[in-house]
Amino acid sequence: MAVWALGINHTTAPVDLRGRFAFALDQVAPTLDALRQSFQGRMSRQPEAAILSTCNRTEIYCAGPEHALDPTIEWLARSGGVPPAVVRSHAYTLSDGGAARHAFRVASGLDSMVLGEAQILGQMKDAVRVAEQAGALGSTLNQLFQRSFAVAKEVRSATEIGAHSISMAAAAVRLAGQLFEDLGEIRVLFVGAGEMIELAATHFAARNPAGIAIANRTLERGEKLATRFGGEVMRLADLPARLHEFDAVVSSTASQLPIIGLGAVERAIKLRKHRPMFMVDLAVPRDIEPEVKALEDVYLYTVDDLAHVVQTGQAQRQAAVAQAEAIIDAGVQSFMHWVDQRGAVPLIQQLNAQTDEWRAAELARARKLLARGEDVDAVLEAMSRGLTQKMLHGALAELHAGDATARERASTAIQHFFLRKGR
C-alpha cells in the first residue's frame, strides 16, 4: 500500500493563494468524494483520502495501491482554478515514510507557524472524523492518523515544546498593545464565533477592554460568546454602519469572499476623525479586503504578518524540538513496519487457506479410515505422514529441480524456514 501527501502552507504559499484551496469543514465530505472520483480509471480502486484545511495550510493525505501524486496535484489545481504548474511551484509532496513524518510533525505542532501550538491537533482530529464519516478513510490512513495523535500526545507530555509558544491570539494582543497605550480603553469587535475568535476574545478579555462585541451570521452562537465575555452581539449586516465604533477588529469566518470592504473601512475612519484602527484578519480566504492595508490610519495584519511575532523565543525551544523529532522518528519507523507487514497479508491469507485445505483433506481421510474400523494409531500415523508430505512437497520438488540456481535458492530457503536452530 502506497501513502502520499500533498500540501501548501504558510511557508510555501501566500495567503491569497492559500485562500483558493481553503475548504470549510462542511465542504470537506463532498470535496473528498470529488477527489476520490477523479481517480476513476487511473487506479484499480479509489484511494483512501483525508483533507486537512486550516488558515495556515491545506493538505491532502492519500493511500492506495500505487503512488498517484501527479493526479492529486492536477485535481487540486482544478479545484483552485489555477494551472498545475502553480500548485507544483508552491506545494510540497511526500510519500510513504516522508508523508508519515510530516503528519506526525503537523500533529505535534512542529510544522506550525506557532511552534508547539495545540490547536492543529484538534483540527486534524476534525479532518479525520469527517473523512471517516464520508467513508473515505481506510485501515492505512486510520493507522497513520491514530499513530500521529499518539505521537503528538507523547511529544506534549515528554517535552516542553509548547512551553514558550505564543498563540496567534496572544500575538494579536501584543501588536495591539504596541499601537494603543492602554488596552483597557479600547473597544474590540470580533467577527465570527468559531474557535479562533473564541481564543482571540479570551486573550483580549484578559486585558479588560472598554467594550467587546461579537458580530456573527447566527445570533445564537454569537450571543453565547458575547455572554461569556460580557459583551454585546450584533448581526453581520449591521457591521458597516457600526464599524467606526471599534478601535480593534479581529475577524475569522469561513466566508469565501471578503466581508469587510475598503469602502466600509474608509467611511469608518472618516467617522472616527482618523483615529487609528487596529485590524487582524485571521481568515483564509481573507475576510478583509487587502486594499485596506494601504489606508493611512489603519493597521491591518494577516496570519502571515503575525509570523515574526509568534517565532520569538525559538532558541529556548531547540532542545525540545530535537527531543520531539526523536519521538517522531520512532513513530515513523513503527508505522512503516506496520505498512510493510500489511503487504504480506494476502500471502499469509493464501498460506493459511492452503494449509486449511490440506488439514481438511487429511482429517476427512482419517475419519473414513476410523469409520471402517482401522487401528487408531495407524490412522494417526497416516494422517501425520500425509500432512508432512503435503507441506514438504513443494520444497522437495525445488531441491530436485534441474536448474542449479533454483536448487541453491531452494536450499537456502529450506535451511532458513525448516532447519534454523533455537526456535
Side-chain angles (χ1 to χ4, degrees), residues 34-367:
L35 167 63
R36 298 176 76 215
Q37 289 289 341
S38 72
F39 288 94
Q40 202 81 33
R42 306 181 82 160
M43 299 182 76
S44 55
R45 64 175 186 273
Q46 284 188 344
E48 302 174 29
I51 294 175
L52 172 64
S53 186
T54 73
C55 61
N56 286 332
R57 72 184 64 244
T58 292
E59 294 180 341
I60 299 170
Y61 294 86
C62 294
E66 66 269 346
H67 293 106
L69 278 164
D70 284 343
T72 311
I73 290 171
E74 291 164 12
W75 175 85
L76 186 62
R78 286 196 303 273
S79 73
V82 300
V86 172
V87 173
R88 285 190 175 89
S89 65
H90 290 280
Y92 40 92
T93 56
L94 306 138
S95 59
D96 300 326
R101 183 182 305 281
H102 182 74
F104 294 172
R105 295 186 83 253
V106 170
S108 301
L110 267 67
D111 193 65
S112 296
M113 183 182 289
V114 184
L115 186 64
E117 60 99 359
Q119 187 183 12
I120 187 64
L121 185 59
Q123 293 168 327
M124 210 169 189
K125 288 181 177 179
D126 287 340
V128 171
R129 175 179 50 79
V130 171
E132 191 170 23
Q133 290 173 348
L137 211 64
S139 58
T140 301
L141 283 191
N142 186 59
Q143 275 288 321
L144 172 69
F145 288 119
Q146 294 308 318
R147 287 168 184 260
S148 72
F149 301 153
V151 164
K153 183 178 180 181
E154 186 177 353
V155 165
R156 294 183 195 287
S157 60
T159 76
E160 294 187 355
I161 194 69
H164 309 284
S165 68
I166 303 173
S167 72
M168 300 292 282
V173 172
R174 179 180 290 189
L175 286 171
Q178 293 174 6
L179 179 63
F180 301 108
E181 236 177 76
D182 184 1
L183 294 185
E185 294 180 357
I186 68 170
R187 288 173 54 79
V188 188
L189 171 65
F190 297 98
V191 185
E195 190 176 353
M196 185 65 81
I197 287 296
E198 185 176 357
L199 191 63
T202 301
H203 279 76
F204 271 96
R207 305 296 289 272
N208 298 310
I212 285 178
I214 309 289
N216 197 48
R217 290 192 193 282
T218 56
L219 282 180
E220 185 181 350
R221 189 164 183 183
E223 282 171 355
K224 190 176 178 182
L225 265 186
T227 302
R228 177 179 164 186
F229 297 111
E232 64 168 313
V233 65
M234 58 187 275
R235 296 181 184 278
L236 274 183
D238 299 330
L239 192 151
R242 295 192 56 190
L243 194 58
H244 66 282
E245 299 175 20
F246 301 96
D247 306 289
V249 179
V250 181
S251 188
S252 180
T253 74
S255 174
Q256 295 300 302
L257 296 171
I259 55 178
I260 300 176
L262 176 64
V265 180
E266 285 177 328
R267 287 192 296 273
I269 286 295
K270 191 173 181 180
L271 287 169
R272 290 173 59 81
K273 302 189 187 317
H274 294 275
R275 282 181 294 120
M277 279 186 79
F278 173 77
M279 306 185 83
V280 178
D281 189 351
L282 297 174
V284 177
R286 293 177 188 258
D287 276 348
I288 303 172
E289 287 186 344
E291 292 80 6
V292 168
K293 195 163 191 170
L295 295 177
E296 192 173 333
D297 301 297
V298 177
Y299 298 82
L300 171 62
Y301 298 88
T302 67
V303 286
D304 290 354
D305 295 325
L306 297 178
H308 70 282
V309 180
V310 301
Q311 291 305 325
T312 57
Q314 193 164 358
Q316 304 101 300
R317 291 175 291 201
Q318 290 312 304
V321 169
Q323 194 179 354
E325 294 284 13
I327 294 170
I328 288 167
D329 284 343
V332 171
Q333 289 176 16
S334 176
F335 174 70
M336 292 311 298
H337 178 65
W338 178 86
V339 170
D340 289 342
Q341 284 184 320
R342 291 284 296 171
V345 168
L347 183 59
I348 292 169
Q349 290 172 336
Q350 290 175 29
L351 188 58
N352 284 331
Q354 181 64 80
T355 54
D356 281 345
E357 185 181 319
W358 289 337
R359 184 176 57 83
E362 290 302 318
L363 272 174
R365 183 168 174 272
R367 288 191 178 106

